[in-house]
Amino acid sequence: MSKSIGIVGAGIGGLHLALYLQQHGIAPTILTDRTPDAYETMRLINTVAHHYVTIEREDELGVNHWDDPELVYHHHDHFFNFPDNPLLFRGAFNKPSRAVDYRIYLPALMRDFAERGGDIEYVDIQEDAIPGLLERFDLLVVSTGKGALGRMFAHRPEHSPYSQPQRMLCVGLYDGVDHGGASDDDPRGVTLSVSPGHGEMIVIPTLSFGGMKTALLMENVPGSDLAELVSLRCDDDPAAFRQAVLDRLEQHHPHTYDRIDTHRFGLSQPNDVLQGAVVPTVRQTSVAFGDEKYAIALGDVHSVVDPLMGQGANMASYAAFELGRAIVGSDVFDARFVEKVDRMREDRVLAASRWTNLMLQPPSQALGRLIFTMAQDRGLCDEFTENFNYPERQWDRLASEKRIHAWIDGREQMAA
């Protein structure tokens, strides 16, 4: 049976779904307003790390073009800038992760899809186009929240505790930051740096134009000294912006500042900076139309998470594969189909959202105990780090104070 699938958006969710369907004998159509060539001159889109579960899906799709051991990282260093007693400890992954600039990654996958015979239509979807799309396709998958299509999916307040951004984001790709990797004794890693009460920063070795760069994703508490970086326009005064970043790093994130060559430090390119904020939001997974036609949400349309825990892209890839399996195994795309898709992907998607939302708040007594125990127990920190691949496992550990204490107590009993 021929299946006509329309995919609006060419982010990781839409592209992984399209490539998966193509691999399984279904010819979807991607609709996007951005050509591959357009990415080269764009401002930084995001800073995204792919954990190994996502890299394994890229291997399955035959699109892992960055399978180079020089590009990966192996661990998370956790740094807490407590005034009297800074805390630094490490957790390792079972297999390495990797970050590639999406201005390189997304067009590469678009070209893979097209070279394998895939159909990409470059169009700007407006609200009046929706009836025609529903008539044209058996199922419409919406993987971009821009415009009228994204607004179709209703907000789910029971899963969305915030109505305002919890962090003001300032992210850039920089030269002049040492991120390890020079030897086996100093493997490349990501740093998760916390300035209590002021914000967090994720330091990510990233492949971009011109080679390996360092992403500084600064997650700044609204109203804090760090939040000023969001309104300081780099284009107006690059030197002032650079100095402001250095000053805030020295004060709030000294572990990273100490790894900077201040003579070389600066944005890799003028457009390698992104400032703004997101409101964490979970939306309805589908919209029903006449004749039992459905539009189904994927990726950020379904769940927008703050980038603090690095779950958005990995979650979208996972959800794309689950949706792809359901499409391949179904001949009818009705209410029952939507129900089954929801059951297949909801646990991981909601777990990633809830875990991230938890970490945006000041730590509870139980979470504080976990932090200080991980600093002493490398095995516990390794498990916490490995669970970045499996957010549902992380949420099993963190969903309540009782669960956090039980996790720590179980580790201590094992060690006794």
Side-chain angles (χ1 to χ4, degrees):
M1 175 182 176
S2 176
K3 303 173 186 180
S4 178
I5 310 297
I7 302 171
V8 180
I12 183 173
L15 286 168
H16 278 203
L17 174 61
L19 288 157
Y20 182 93
L21 294 176
Q22 187 181 58
Q23 194 174 62
H24 289 80
I26 297 172
T29 299
I30 294 176
L31 302 105
T32 179
D33 60 355
R34 189 176 293 161
T35 67
D37 291 342
Y39 284 88
E40 292 185 11
T41 57
M42 286 179 56
R43 184 170 291 276
L44 183 67
I45 303 171
N46 51 31
T47 52
V48 172
H50 288 183
H51 304 307
Y52 72 74
V53 289
T54 300
I55 295 173
E56 288 175 347
R57 286 189 285 270
E58 294 168 354
D59 287 331
E60 183 176 336
L61 295 174
V63 295
N64 185 2
H65 304 297
W66 305 277
D67 188 19
D68 183 341
E70 296 300 315
L71 304 181
V72 301
Y73 64 89
H74 301 269
H75 61 266
H76 284 169
D77 281 334
H78 301 262
F79 176 76
F80 289 82
N81 190 28
F82 297 124
D84 299 325
N85 186 26
L87 197 61
L88 176 64
F89 53 94
R90 177 171 293 183
F93 292 103
N94 289 340
K95 299 178 185 177
S97 300
R98 183 203 63 216
V100 176
D101 190 329
Y102 264 32
R103 295 170 296 181
I104 296 173
Y105 182 88
L106 296 178
L109 267 62
M110 292 172 72
R111 292 184 177 106
D112 287 332
F113 178 72
E115 288 168 4
R116 297 172 188 179
D119 184 19
I120 304 179
E121 297 181 8
Y122 297 102
V123 292
D124 183 13
I125 303 297
Q126 301 297 326
E127 191 166 6
D128 58 5
I130 294 172
L133 293 175
L134 292 167
E135 183 176 341
R136 177 181 173 187
F137 297 111
D138 299 324
L139 179 69
L140 189 64
V141 179
V142 182
S143 65
T144 177
K146 294 188 298 183
L149 285 175
R151 293 193 295 269
M152 293 191 306
F153 300 90
H155 173 230
R156 298 178 69 184
E158 71 275 20
H159 298 306
S160 305
Y162 305 125
S163 59
Q164 299 293 327
Q166 298 302 294
R167 296 292 186 271
M168 307 305 290
L169 307 178
C170 180
V171 56
L173 290 177
Y174 293 90
D175 292 316
V177 185
D178 177 18
H179 43 63
S183 68
D184 292 340
D185 295 330
D186 182 27
R188 183 177 285 132
V190 157
T191 297
L192 307 177
S193 180
V194 179
S195 179
H198 298 278
E200 304 82 18
M201 182 173 69
I202 302 93
V203 184
I204 312 169
T206 301
L207 177 66
S208 184
F209 304 108
M212 292 301 294
K213 309 296 178 181
T214 301
L216 300 182
L217 169 54
M218 304 181 77
E219 296 251 346
N220 308 314
V221 173
S224 72
D225 172 49
L226 284 165
E228 297 176 4
L229 292 173
V230 180
S231 58
L232 186 61
R233 311 316 299 181
C234 178
D235 293 345
D236 294 340
D237 191 340
F241 177 83
R242 172 187 176 278
Q243 190 59 50
V245 171
L246 280 172
D247 290 344
R248 301 312 194 280
L249 291 174
E250 184 176 20
Q251 178 182 356
H252 293 283
H253 303 289
H255 174 68
T256 297
Y257 180 82
D258 290 344
R259 295 153 50 196
I260 291 175
D261 178 348
T262 56
H263 298 291
R264 294 181 52 236
F265 180 77
L267 290 172
S268 300
Q269 299 182 109
N271 61 354
D272 279 352
V273 63
L274 179 66
Q275 297 157 296
V278 298
V279 179
T281 304
V282 177
R283 298 187 181 91
Q284 295 287 349
T285 61
S286 63
V287 179
F289 298 89
D291 298 325
E292 281 206 282
K293 284 292 188 78
Y294 282 84
I296 192 162
L298 177 64
D300 283 351
V301 180
H302 182 191
S303 178
V304 177
V305 293
D306 188 280
L308 179 62
M309 293 291 102
Q311 291 299 311
N314 295 280
M315 188 171 60
S317 170
Y318 169 84
F321 266 59
E322 294 301 304
L323 177 56
R325 291 186 182 99
I327 291 172
V328 170
S330 302
D331 293 326
V332 177
F333 305 115
D334 58 3
R336 174 59 175 161
F337 170 81
V338 172
E339 181 182 54
K340 292 173 69 175
V341 170
D342 284 350
R343 189 168 62 247
M344 292 166 66
R345 62 182 180 165
E346 185 169 66
D347 189 32
R348 180 167 294 189
V349 171
L350 290 183
S353 176
R354 290 164 174 166
W355 169 33
T356 302
N357 289 341
L358 173 69
M359 304 305 286
L360 290 168
Q361 295 302 306
S364 65
Q365 184 274 333
L367 197 56
R369 182 189 175 203
L370 176 65
I371 291 168
F372 282 98
T373 306
M374 285 196 297
Q376 306 299 322
D377 183 343
R378 174 63 184 267
L380 179 62
C381 192
D382 286 348
E383 185 177 347
F384 181 88
T385 303
E386 177 64 14
N387 284 347
F388 275 69
N389 286 281
Y390 304 100
E392 68 277 17
R393 297 181 189 175
Q394 197 80 302
W395 191 237
D396 284 345
R397 303 298 197 189
L398 304 178
S400 68
E401 300 269 298
K402 188 174 182 179
R403 284 176 177 266
I404 296 171
H405 286 304
W407 186 16
I408 300 169
D409 292 343
R411 293 282 312 180
E412 291 178 346
Q413 290 169 9
M414 288 173 57

